[in-house]
Amino acid sequence: MRDHEPAAGRPGRRLTTRETAEVLGVKPETVYAYVSRGLLGSRREPGGRASTFDVREVEELARRNRRDAAGTPGSGGELSVRTRLTLIDGDRYYFRGVDATELAARHSYEEVAEWLWTGRPAPGATFTAPGTAVALARHAVDALPEHTSPTDRLRVATIAAAAEDPLRFDLSEEAVLNTARVLIPTLVAALPPVRPGHRDEGSLARRLWGRLSGRPVDEDCLRVLDTALGLLTDHDLAASTLAVRVAASARAHAYAAVSAGLGVLEGPLHGASSGLAHRLLLDVLDQGTAVPVIADELRAGRRIPGLGHRLYTGEDPRARVLFALLEQVPRAEPALLAARDIVATTARHTPLHANVDLALAVFTVSCGMPASAGETIFAVARTAGWIAHALEEYGERPLRMRPSGHYVGPRPPQPLPYQAQH
């Protein structure tokens, strides 16, 4: 630090590579790695051969590195990323400071998405997709095998939509927002309709309904679907959202960032969890009681889907809102009773509250939807949140999400493998 302190007192002086390495606490070769990644600028003085570095820029990078180190595993904290989007506080969560449950209950999914993207109200917001993008995405999705998962269909539709957009590498806020407003309805339109003759008109929730259920549109159920989409728009740095931010940090375009999120979402511990809860509910309805079903799950050593959430000590607020709406849907009563039976039965072993996956399962079972419907709802809804996080990340320094590996393998030098035996 003795070399560092005098430098700070003389802003006009530039640092040598060695001095820069000492200030940053790294090796000289790492300094050049920072330069190649755009994190640090360098300059060669007239007549000189060595690079020099601006004092203030080096000190700012050192401060950022210290802040980042304070949030990395092994430093006493967890990875943290600055965001203005979602705050989870106690058993409530907020979008840009506004209670997310109230926002989703009173506004359409499109309006919630616009609020998350811009922080400005957008009454009556609608999303429409150009026919060329829809036709290309549908053609790509229709070529997939019948057993293809919803997330795979959405991923293929995203790639097709990207291929049709020659301006996809424009990462300005306006361009990315225009992409979002086109991509989300394109994803919905690319999914094969369940009901023959379903017309793509009205709200996004209404258009999505025909891709999830073969029943005529039920206004009460449609309200549940629209609210679920709004509630699921974002939820801080879930695994899929972190993947999106990593992609955006590398300046991947918005379609590629969404594809990264979809890749993570398909895991059984994330977006596919509602499908497991859906099947559990069907088993309970078939048995007439949750006791033998829960007993079989516990005997097999499986986690009971639809229960508990690491961020909430009480009931998931998203589940609370959806259950309240479902209580107003007469056809949902059997599934609601089965869900309560699951919670009560499991509480004898471990007191866990219902989460949004169980609420989604009640909805999908009640509306005659397949087990994969919850995953589709989750993916479509969360696309808006991914776009919001990508936009935030585009405003940060590039490639900042580059943690260092903690190597625990054999220490070098090691002999070359597969050497010829003599």
Side-chain angles (χ1 to χ4, degrees):
M1 290 299 292
R2 285 194 299 272
D3 291 334
H4 178 201
E5 288 162 359
R10 290 175 292 178
R13 177 175 178 260
R14 295 181 66 81
L15 300 179
T16 66
T17 300
R18 181 184 64 80
E19 290 171 331
T20 300
E22 289 179 359
V23 171
L24 295 174
V26 299
K27 296 178 181 179
E29 52 265 33
T30 304
V31 172
Y32 292 110
Y34 284 144
V35 173
S36 67
R37 287 159 53 191
L39 301 179
L40 192 63
S42 66
R43 187 176 77 197
R44 289 188 178 180
E45 301 297 338
R49 300 178 59 185
S51 297
T52 62
F53 304 86
D54 181 82
V55 171
R56 291 175 178 169
E57 188 178 6
V58 172
E59 291 176 340
E60 174 57 28
L61 178 59
R63 282 192 291 269
R64 288 203 304 264
N65 286 350
R66 286 194 293 270
R67 287 197 300 266
D68 291 347
T72 55
S75 63
E78 294 182 352
L79 176 66
S80 63
V81 176
R82 292 179 301 172
T83 178
R84 296 180 176 86
L85 300 175
T86 300
L87 169 67
I88 298 176
D89 185 17
D91 288 338
R92 303 176 72 180
Y93 73 118
Y94 306 83
F95 291 161
R96 293 188 180 273
V98 176
D99 190 298
T101 59
E102 292 184 14
L103 197 66
R106 299 182 184 184
H107 296 275
S108 70
Y109 166 68
E110 294 92 324
E111 291 169 343
V112 173
E114 290 284 351
W115 172 257
L116 197 64
W117 294 335
T118 69
R120 296 187 297 270
T126 57
F127 298 158
T128 56
T132 52
V134 171
L136 186 61
R138 280 180 177 170
H139 180 73
V141 169
D142 289 345
L144 296 171
E146 187 176 347
H147 64 268
T148 303
S149 73
T151 304
D152 277 340
R153 294 181 192 275
L154 293 171
R155 190 183 299 118
V156 168
T158 301
I159 295 169
E164 199 274 333
D165 183 1
L167 303 179
R168 61 187 178 276
F169 293 101
D170 184 348
L171 303 185
S172 65
E173 181 177 353
E174 182 180 3
V176 173
L177 288 176
N178 287 338
T179 293
R181 295 174 183 128
V182 167
L183 175 59
I184 295 174
T186 298
L187 295 181
V188 172
L191 295 172
V194 177
R195 290 188 66 213
H198 175 74
R199 301 177 64 181
D200 280 330
E201 56 187 18
S203 68
L204 192 90
R206 188 175 293 273
R207 282 174 270 166
L208 182 58
W209 176 272
R211 267 85 186 171
L212 302 175
S213 177
R215 296 177 180 175
V217 175
D218 179 304
E219 294 301 323
D220 288 336
C221 287
L222 190 65
R223 184 187 175 202
V224 178
L225 176 58
D226 195 28
T227 303
L229 289 169
L231 291 168
L232 292 167
T233 302
D234 191 43
H235 205 234
D236 195 32
L237 282 183
S240 57
T241 305
L242 180 59
V244 168
R245 293 199 74 131
V246 171
S249 177
R251 296 306 183 255
H253 55 70
Y255 300 94
V258 168
S259 294
L262 288 167
V264 176
L265 188 71
E266 200 168 15
L269 300 182
H270 197 6
S273 296
S274 63
L276 301 176
H278 178 107
R279 296 182 183 92
L280 183 75
L281 263 182
L282 290 179
D283 287 343
V284 173
L285 288 168
D286 183 59
Q287 293 277 351
T289 175
V291 173
V293 178
I294 299 301
D296 287 343
E297 294 293 308
L298 295 176
R299 187 178 298 114
R302 290 190 291 265
R303 185 179 66 89
I304 308 301
L307 299 179
H309 196 289
R310 63 186 297 267
L311 297 181
Y312 300 114
T313 55
E315 188 175 40
D316 184 333
R318 302 167 297 177
R320 184 172 63 249
V321 172
L322 291 180
F323 283 139
L325 288 175
L326 287 163
E327 287 174 357
Q328 302 171 29
V329 180
R331 69 172 63 166
E333 184 177 3
L336 274 172
L337 292 173
R340 290 173 185 148
D341 193 10
I342 290 171
V343 173
T345 302
T346 309
R348 305 176 193 174
H349 172 70
T350 305
L352 293 173
H353 295 275
N355 62 33
V356 72
D357 295 316
L358 187 59
L360 273 180
V362 171
F363 171 68
T364 55
V365 167
S366 303
C367 296
M369 298 176 180
S372 61
E375 182 179 344
T376 305
I377 295 167
F378 199 112
V380 170
R382 192 55 58 88
T383 301
W386 292 336
I387 294 290
H389 280 273
L391 272 171
E392 271 200 336
E393 196 58 41
Y394 291 147
E396 299 285 352
R397 73 181 191 275
L399 293 172
R400 69 189 184 118
M401 294 193 183
R402 174 57 171 89
S404 298
H406 177 56
Y407 181 73
V408 294
R411 300 303 304 173
Q414 296 287 323
L416 287 171
Y418 312 118
Q419 292 191 41
Q421 301 295 318
H422 297 287

